[in-house]
Amino acid sequence: MEAFLGIIIGALVSLGIVTYFKSINKKKLVNSQSVLLLDKIKKVCKFITVEGDFAEIYHYEDVKERFLKLISSRKKALVVINAKAYVGYDLSKITLIPDNVNKKITIEHFPQPEILSIETNLNYYDKSDGLFNKFEAKDLTGLHQEAKLHIQDKVPESGLIEAAQKEALETILLMENIVETIGWTLDYSALKIEEKETKKLQ
């Protein structure tokens, strides 16, 4: 009888130890899953939602003066800028809170759409050098930089930012798909996107 009782007690102790270690391993797995999800989402990083094409005419002119400003030399060019601007979300700026108990990730902060990149192609027309003021390689590099800034200033009035805001839910759904691949859920019920007035995502 005592031997039988000992076997039962031993079995219960063994079961308790196995259950304990299983719970520890499960907790470690859940914790590693949350870290994996946060890492995956942030690796998506810059997500483009809209793009826009621009065609702008840019007048470039530079005047240098010599000999006590008695003589001036002018170089100028008519530049046609063909550009493509990409607007979207930098997901490295979001705030994510993992809930390991309920296997849920909550978005507490979502960034506003921004210009992620601008690609420019410049064509030069009516390009003329001055007598002692000629175009150099650094001038063309500077023109490319000015062209990007010129397009950047045009983006806010183009409607691309507003279009990206309307596509915000697509970005959220992408994140939700990533989270659901391992059985977690994404909570974005409190998320709001700023437009002319603050609107809650539907």
Side-chain angles (χ1 to χ4, degrees):
M1 184 66 179
E2 290 182 358
F4 179 69
L5 186 59
I7 292 173
I8 293 176
I9 292 173
L12 290 174
V13 170
S14 298
L15 181 62
I17 291 172
V18 170
T19 303
Y20 174 72
F21 280 106
K22 275 188 176 180
S23 65
I24 289 178
N25 289 334
K26 185 177 180 181
K27 186 176 181 181
K28 285 182 179 178
L29 176 62
V30 170
N31 287 341
S32 64
Q33 281 180 335
S34 69
V35 172
L36 175 67
L37 287 173
L38 297 180
D39 187 51
K40 269 190 176 183
I41 290 171
K42 294 202 174 185
K43 275 186 178 177
V44 175
C45 199
K46 293 183 178 180
F47 182 70
I48 295 169
T49 58
V50 294
E51 60 182 64
D53 294 306
F54 294 81
E56 296 282 331
I57 297 176
Y58 185 73
H59 295 272
Y60 174 82
E61 189 173 287
D62 179 77
V63 178
K64 285 186 178 178
E65 296 177 329
R66 294 281 180 88
F67 307 111
L68 301 176
K69 299 183 179 181
L70 296 175
I71 300 177
S72 63
S73 182
R74 185 188 311 271
K75 62 183 173 187
K76 62 180 182 176
L78 182 65
V79 185
V80 175
I81 307 169
N82 292 299
K84 190 179 289 289
Y86 299 94
V87 177
Y89 297 90
D90 186 345
L91 299 186
S92 66
K93 296 179 180 179
I94 62 176
T95 302
L96 301 171
I97 306 299
D99 180 352
N100 295 333
V101 176
N102 298 305
K103 289 190 176 183
K104 178 176 72 174
I105 288 182
T106 302
I107 304 178
E108 286 203 345
H109 168 72
F110 195 78
Q112 290 299 302
E114 59 186 87
I115 301 170
L116 298 179
S117 67
I118 296 175
E119 297 176 359
T120 55
N121 180 38
L122 274 59
N123 294 309
Y124 299 91
Y125 299 92
D126 193 24
K127 181 180 169 185
S128 60
D129 292 315
L131 181 63
F132 53 82
N133 188 11
K134 301 183 182 298
F135 276 98
E136 299 176 1
K138 64 179 181 180
D139 295 317
L140 302 181
T141 300
L143 267 172
H144 270 88
Q145 292 174 343
E146 287 183 29
K148 282 195 174 185
L149 290 174
H150 181 71
I151 298 300
Q152 183 176 303
D153 291 339
K154 294 287 182 180
V155 169
E157 61 191 55
S158 69
L160 287 176
I161 299 293
E162 291 79 4
Q165 286 174 324
K166 291 177 182 178
E167 297 293 329
L169 188 56
E170 294 297 322
T171 310
I172 302 300
L173 292 177
L174 170 70
M175 295 166 57
E176 189 172 39
N177 288 336
I178 293 173
V179 171
E180 288 179 348
T181 55
I182 58 172
W184 284 52
T185 58
L186 183 70
D187 181 4
Y188 53 93
S189 57
L191 185 62
K192 295 182 179 180
I193 298 294
E194 297 291 332
E195 291 188 67
K196 290 182 180 178
E197 58 184 31
T198 302
K199 293 184 179 180
K200 191 172 180 178
L201 282 178
Q202 301 297 322

